[in-house]
Every structure is written in C-alpha cells, then in structure tokens.
Amino acid sequence: MSKRLKIQFSGIVQGVGFRPFIYKYAKELKLTGFVRNNTAGVDLELEGERIDDFMEIALNNLPPLAKIDDYSVNEIEIKNSVEFKIIKSNSSNLVSMIMSPDIALCSNCRDEYYCLKDRRSLYPFINCTDCGPRFSIIKDLPYDRPKTTM
C-alpha cells in the first residue's frame, strides 16, 4: 500500500554524499518525493509502496562518512508525486548540524591520483564524497556547493 513519510535526519549527513545516496535508493525502489539539506540536517519526503525496504537499506548502508545521530518519521498526506528529486536547501534560524571533519584521501582517490591514464592523475586537490575537506572549506550552512571555498 502506498504511503508518504516525512523523515528528518540529524548527524553527519551533509557533505558526505548523503543526498545522492538517498536519491539512488529512492529511484531504485521507484519511490517519489524529495530530499534536501537544512540547517539541522536533511529533510526527506518519500512516497510509494517500498518505503519500508528503503528505510532498511538507508539505515544499514550509509555512505562511509555519514552518521545518523537521530531521525524522526511522520506519515503525511499523499501528494501523488511523479518523480524523486534533490531540491534546493531550506535555511532556518535553527542551526544544530554536525559537520564532518576533514579526512585524508581514501584508497580510491589515491589509486586515481597515481593512475597516469586517469584524467585526474596527479591533481593536487583530488577527493570525493568519501574523503577530503569539509570543515575547512564550508562558509555557511546548510552545506551546499555555493557555500564552499578552496
């Protein structure tokens, strides 16, 4: 049976590939709705029949640097969405988010760095969502690309 849930995550859920992770599994399970950053973490609205499967996957297969400290789930009115989207962040006066510390290169980036056939070979700022700087490049919350600097 189809339903729609509003889920709010707090913890280390920004700058660590959490929204693309959510998007990937929502699309695979044919769920609709949206995910977005906010100043307290991440908001998610999911609609469809396989939400329970999604929650099992999402809570047990997080991106390497993601850490959910808390989450709330509320059933809301079905909106009959037709797709799943990553939407623009929502800012508020409440700022209670944890930012991931800067992390050393992961083994995948290290391999890519030393692979002379790779387009990012020897690129000095190589990193991915599983490694690299976060805390030292963020200018403001929520964590979005326009709010980062090098």
Side-chain angles (χ1 to χ4, degrees), residues 51-141:
I51 293 176
D52 293 335
D53 295 337
F54 173 88
M55 291 302 289
E56 175 78 21
I57 291 168
L59 295 175
N60 293 306
N61 299 288
L62 294 173
L65 297 179
K67 180 179 181 284
I68 297 172
D69 288 335
D70 195 19
Y71 67 97
S72 64
V73 179
N74 295 295
E75 190 161 348
I76 60 174
E77 183 179 329
I78 290 178
K79 296 180 181 174
N80 297 310
S81 333
V82 294
E83 63 183 320
F84 190 86
K85 299 179 187 178
I86 298 175
I87 64 171
K88 184 179 178 187
S89 296
N90 185 25
S91 296
S92 72
N93 293 335
L94 173 66
V95 177
S96 63
M97 209 194 76
I98 301 168
M99 182 53 55
S100 172
D102 294 349
I103 304 294
L105 284 181
C106 66
S107 61
N108 289 337
C109 284
R110 191 173 296 110
D111 292 346
E112 189 175 1
Y113 179 85
Y114 287 111
C115 178
L116 298 178
K117 294 179 182 178
D118 194 282
R119 69 180 179 86
R120 297 194 320 162
S121 174
L122 303 177
Y123 178 65
F125 302 110
I126 196 167
N127 67 71
C128 68
T129 57
D130 293 341
C131 69
R134 283 157 186 78
F135 188 75
S136 65
I137 65 170
I138 187 77
K139 295 190 297 186
D140 197 8
L141 295 171

Side-chain angles (χ1 to χ4, degrees), residues 7-26 34-38 40-44 54-55 57-71 84 86 97 128-130 134 143:
I7 306 163
Q8 296 175 299
F9 295 99
S10 63
I12 301 175
V13 291
Q14 291 187 25
V16 292
F18 192 73
R19 287 178 299 168
F21 162 80
I22 294 291
Y23 179 87
K24 173 187 171 190
Y25 287 112
F34 67 84
V35 63
R36 70 177 169 202
N37 284 343
N38 65 46
V42 169
D43 289 329
L44 170 62
F54 173 88
M55 291 302 289
I57 291 168
L59 295 175
N60 293 306
N61 299 288
L62 294 173
L65 297 179
K67 180 179 181 284
I68 297 172
D69 288 335
D70 195 19
Y71 67 97
F84 190 86
I86 298 175
M97 209 194 76
C128 68
T129 57
D130 293 341
R134 283 157 186 78
Y143 187 99

